[in-house]
Each structure stands twice: as C-alpha cells, then as structure tokens.
Amino acid sequence: DLDSSPDRSGMATMRCCVALLAAIQLVVPVAGLAANRALYPRALSAFNKKYGEVRPGTYYYRSQEFLEGSFDEMARVYGEEVAATMVDDVPGVLAFQPANFQPSLDIFSGIFGEDAARAMVIRNPALLSCPPSGPDGADKADAKAMYASYVVAATRPIGGLLLGSLFLLLSIPAIEIVTGIPARAIVQDAIKDVLN
C-alpha cells in the first residue's frame, strides 16, 4: 500500500507543517499591525499638530499610507510605546524612510552595542533619518553621536525659545571677542539699574 508508506506519511506531515507556517506568517503580521495601530492616532496627531497642512512637494508631505507604514516599522523595531513617544518628541520622524530604521539600528549596534544604540536613537529620534551608509550614514557614527543624543534629550524639555536664549548666553564671550563690545558689562549694568 503506497499511501501508508513512510515516505508518503513524511510528505503529508511536511505539507501540514508548511501549511501551518504559511498560516502563521499570514496571521502574525496582521495581528502585529493591529497592535501597532493602537497608538498610531496619537502619533498622527503629534505629526499633524507640528506640520498641519503640509504643502505638496515639501519634505514632510507624505501620504497616509506612508505615515502608517513608517509608524508600523518604527513600532516593529523599537516597540509601539517607544515609537509613539519618539513621534511625540520629534514628530517629523514619521516622514523618515522606514526602510532605514532597522538597517541603521543594526549598524549603530555594531558600533556601540545593541542596548546603547537603541537607547541613543530613543534619546535622539532624529537619528532615524540616517541611512545605513553614505555621507550621513549610520556607518559614520562615532562617540559624538552618542554624546549628542544626551544633549538632545537633556535640552528637549527646555523648548525652542529657552534653548535659543541659552545659546545666546553661551555665545556672549564670542560676541565680545568679535565685536569688542563688553556685552557682559552692559547686561550687568542693565540688571543693576532694574534692581535699584
């Protein structure tokens, strides 16, 4: 009887395994996509709040499908909650090329180690814009990228106006050198006049 031979039953088992794996591959991405979309409205809201009505032809002009795909890939690589937080911090990351997210993280991981690289990108989500290689590629990253991620994370809560003011204060000595105007003395005198 050919139907009960060991070769036939092995083939039937293998066909069942292949069918099961195919079914798993169909179900898992769809389930993952649905889970990743739970926080997508929050991410889209942050993006729209920052960029509003973006004109066609500008960098941040992206289709709804592109933004969804970008969030899905970010959630796959970093986790859904982390992805939503990165978009809250830097809404423009939704417009970055999602095909670069995993390859760039892999390269950063080769340079800094997996945990350090992941933490670096989470602190400075703008690093998601790095292609894996090229002039501004992840393969060019060095210790400065790691240090900058700490600076970005520490100064983000300050906000644009306060950060600009801090930069201005730190640049006063350079202004004095270039112009020859004693800016610190002028500011100190003005403060004394206000307090008196």
Side-chain angles (χ1 to χ4, degrees):
D1 184 31
L2 291 175
D3 289 333
S4 63
S5 70
D7 289 337
R8 286 277 223 202
S9 64
M11 288 299 288
T13 302
M14 187 162 60
R15 270 184 259 160
C16 286
C17 289
V18 168
L20 180 62
L21 286 173
I24 289 171
Q25 287 177 342
L26 287 174
V27 171
V28 170
V30 171
L33 187 64
N36 292 344
R37 294 285 170 78
L39 291 177
Y40 175 70
R42 173 178 136 193
L44 183 61
S45 175
F47 182 83
N48 287 334
K49 183 178 178 183
K50 171 82 177 182
Y51 298 103
E53 294 297 320
V54 181
R55 291 187 329 267
T58 61
Y59 180 80
Y60 292 102
Y61 183 75
R62 301 285 193 234
S63 69
Q64 182 72 26
E65 293 79 22
F66 183 94
L67 298 173
E68 288 174 1
S70 184
F71 184 79
D72 287 343
E73 179 63 6
M74 203 180 317
R76 185 189 69 75
V77 174
Y78 293 95
E80 182 183 11
E81 183 63 41
V82 171
T85 301
M86 288 195 293
V87 175
D88 288 340
D89 292 343
V90 182
V93 299
L94 278 183
F96 297 163
Q97 293 299 321
N100 291 339
F101 297 167
Q102 184 67 58
S104 292
L105 178 61
D106 293 343
I107 290 172
F108 287 140
S109 295
I111 296 169
F112 302 109
E114 185 176 342
D115 292 339
R118 183 176 297 279
M120 178 181 72
V121 175
I122 291 168
R123 283 189 300 272
N124 184 6
L127 291 170
L128 290 170
S129 69
C130 292
S133 61
D136 296 321
D139 60 340
K140 304 291 187 291
D142 58 13
K144 289 182 230 167
M146 184 64 75
Y147 300 144
S149 73
Y150 286 102
V151 172
V152 167
T155 58
R156 184 180 298 115
I158 294 174
L161 180 61
L162 291 175
L163 188 56
S165 300
L166 177 63
F167 176 76
L168 180 64
L169 288 172
L170 292 174
S171 63
I172 287 176
I175 292 170
E176 288 179 334
I177 291 169
V178 171
T179 64
I181 299 172
R184 285 181 283 190
I186 294 170
V187 171
Q188 288 171 351
D189 289 342
I191 291 172
K192 285 179 190 174
D193 289 343
V194 169
L195 296 176
N196 290 332

